[in-house]
Amino acid sequence: MHGDQVDDVNPIHQARHGDRAPHVGFLGLGVMGLPMALRLAHAGTPLTVWNRTPARAEPLRAAGASVAADPADVFAQADVVILMLADEFAIDAVLGRGAPEFAARVAGRVVVHMGTTSPEYSQALEADIRAADGSYVEAPVSGSRVPAENGQLVAMLAGEESAVEVVRPLLAPMCHGTFVCGPAPNALLMKLAVNLFLITQVTGLTEAFHFAERQGLDRRLFLDVLDAGPMASAVSRMKAPKLLERDFAVQAAASDVLKNNRLIAEAARKTGLASPLLDVCHALFGETVSLGYGGEDMAAVVRAIEARTEEGAQGQTPLPY
């Protein structure tokens, strides 16, 4: 099969009747995409990958995956195509959405959207793919780089039941849990709800650490006390060492958290929901990015809290009491 030629064998039919394992395409090898794709390759999944920066694909080539020259080549080889891309513009570009090649690429294939976009965008994308005789599954994941490396992500799936049945087992090497959420965009809405808790949780941990540090407490002792108590979690155990060591190497970038925060806030406003904790976090992550730390881990939100403390000490910003 060459170029944008359509395979006349339906991957949903193949998977359901066990004719052969679906060939998977994977587009987007960023902080999350690279370890996710590596998990598939190491599990023996028939895999073709592509990334805008070709060097990012070399670990996949070494792991036995095929490396495509362009997105069209991925669609030419794959039955199921996973998109782990930065935003709506990147997704539209690799799909050729709005151009003649779009229908040829998606027809007869299952397109799996694993990134985080607005629910409205996802609904419109699903409509376009189904109109072109393709199938669509939302499958956003909860987790950051380390869980991705360890196959400990949690996936939320939504879409046509037959397509979800094909995709769910394919995610097993990447995820220790998969949850079917009904029709799209319920998976993305579920992801936003989960992220609301994550964002407020990490921001609360960071503010508590800042408070303990500025009160002159032993920072390690504070974290030991926290870890021994009921508030300890996998998240606190991942972020606490980063705060202690001021290691802001990215697991989940502050700029991506700000994007997620914005998506959650927009969804809340559209349904008339209050989100007071989220709104405070939104401001803090906005300040973190404005200070130039958007490429650092989300634990770098401590920098915005520290900046507010310094401004208060200098009388630039009156404290709210």
Side-chain angles (χ1 to χ4, degrees), residues 25-233:
F26 200 108
L27 298 166
L29 303 174
V31 171
M32 293 288 289
L34 178 58
M36 290 166 68
L38 280 170
R39 295 287 307 185
L40 292 176
H42 291 151
T45 304
L47 186 66
T48 300
V49 304
W50 175 85
N51 193 68
R52 184 177 59 182
T53 304
R56 295 284 295 177
E58 290 309 308
L60 273 302
R61 192 193 304 276
S66 298
V67 178
D70 53 39
D73 193 24
V74 175
F75 282 92
Q77 298 183 48
D79 307 305
V80 177
V81 179
I82 293 174
L83 309 177
M84 193 62 184
L85 297 162
D87 52 36
E88 293 92 336
F89 301 104
I91 293 170
D92 288 349
V94 301
L95 291 176
R97 194 172 176 206
E101 61 264 27
F102 173 77
R105 289 185 184 181
V106 305
R109 292 169 180 79
V110 183
V111 178
V112 186
H113 172 25
M114 295 194 76
T116 305
T117 60
S118 73
E120 292 78 13
Y121 171 84
S122 181
Q123 282 185 302
L125 180 60
E126 178 185 40
D128 286 353
I129 289 173
R130 293 183 68 173
D133 295 323
S135 298
Y136 178 79
V137 175
E138 284 180 348
V141 292
S142 179
S144 57
R145 178 178 56 81
V146 172
E149 291 171 346
N150 296 332
Q152 293 295 305
L153 297 172
V154 175
M156 294 142 277
L157 292 83
E160 298 173 77
E161 184 177 347
S162 57
V164 169
E165 288 176 1
V166 171
V167 171
R168 193 175 191 180
L170 296 176
L171 303 185
M174 300 183 284
C175 304
H176 75 92
T178 55
F179 297 87
V180 178
C181 302
N186 281 4
L188 272 167
L189 288 169
M190 187 71 75
K191 167 72 183 290
L192 296 181
V194 169
N195 275 5
L196 195 160
F197 179 49
L198 171 66
I199 292 167
T200 55
Q201 182 184 28
V202 172
T203 305
L205 169 65
T206 303
E207 185 173 330
F209 182 86
H210 175 69
F211 176 88
E213 181 178 50
R214 294 304 175 99
Q215 294 292 344
L217 301 178
D218 183 313
R219 299 176 305 155
R220 186 178 296 276
L221 180 61
F222 162 71
L223 293 175
D224 287 344
V225 172
L226 177 67
D227 196 49
M231 288 82 71
S233 68

Side-chain angles (χ1 to χ4, degrees), residues 183-317:
N186 281 4
L188 272 167
L189 288 169
M190 187 71 75
K191 167 72 183 290
L192 296 181
V194 169
N195 275 5
L196 195 160
F197 179 49
L198 171 66
I199 292 167
T200 55
Q201 182 184 28
V202 172
T203 305
L205 169 65
T206 303
E207 185 173 330
F209 182 86
H210 175 69
F211 176 88
E213 181 178 50
R214 294 304 175 99
Q215 294 292 344
L217 301 178
D218 183 313
R219 299 176 305 155
R220 186 178 296 276
L221 180 61
F222 162 71
L223 293 175
D224 287 344
V225 172
L226 177 67
D227 196 49
M231 288 82 71
S233 68
V235 171
S236 68
R237 289 172 180 144
M238 186 177 297
K239 298 305 181 186
K242 299 183 80 63
L243 290 167
L244 183 65
E245 299 160 15
R246 292 191 75 83
D247 166 22
F248 299 127
V250 67
Q251 293 173 342
S255 58
D256 290 336
V257 174
L258 180 61
K259 168 194 164 184
N260 276 263
N261 208 316
R262 175 180 54 78
L263 290 171
I264 301 166
E266 289 174 353
R269 299 298 172 266
K270 286 173 181 174
T271 47
L273 301 178
S275 55
L277 293 178
L278 180 76
D279 296 344
V280 171
C281 296
H282 197 165
L284 286 168
F285 277 96
E287 291 163 26
T288 304
V289 172
S290 295
L291 289 167
Y293 303 116
E296 295 187 343
D297 187 73
M298 67 186 299
V301 71
V302 72
R303 298 187 187 275
I305 297 171
E306 290 168 346
R308 288 198 185 191
T309 292
E310 298 306 321
E311 290 173 1
Q314 297 169 15
Q316 297 177 24
T317 304

Side-chain angles (χ1 to χ4, degrees), residues 1-20:
M1 184 164 53
H2 302 284
D4 284 322
Q5 181 181 341
V6 178
D7 191 339
D8 61 1
V9 180
N10 189 324
I12 295 178
H13 175 87
Q14 292 169 345
R16 185 177 295 150
H17 293 87
D19 298 329
R20 65 175 173 85

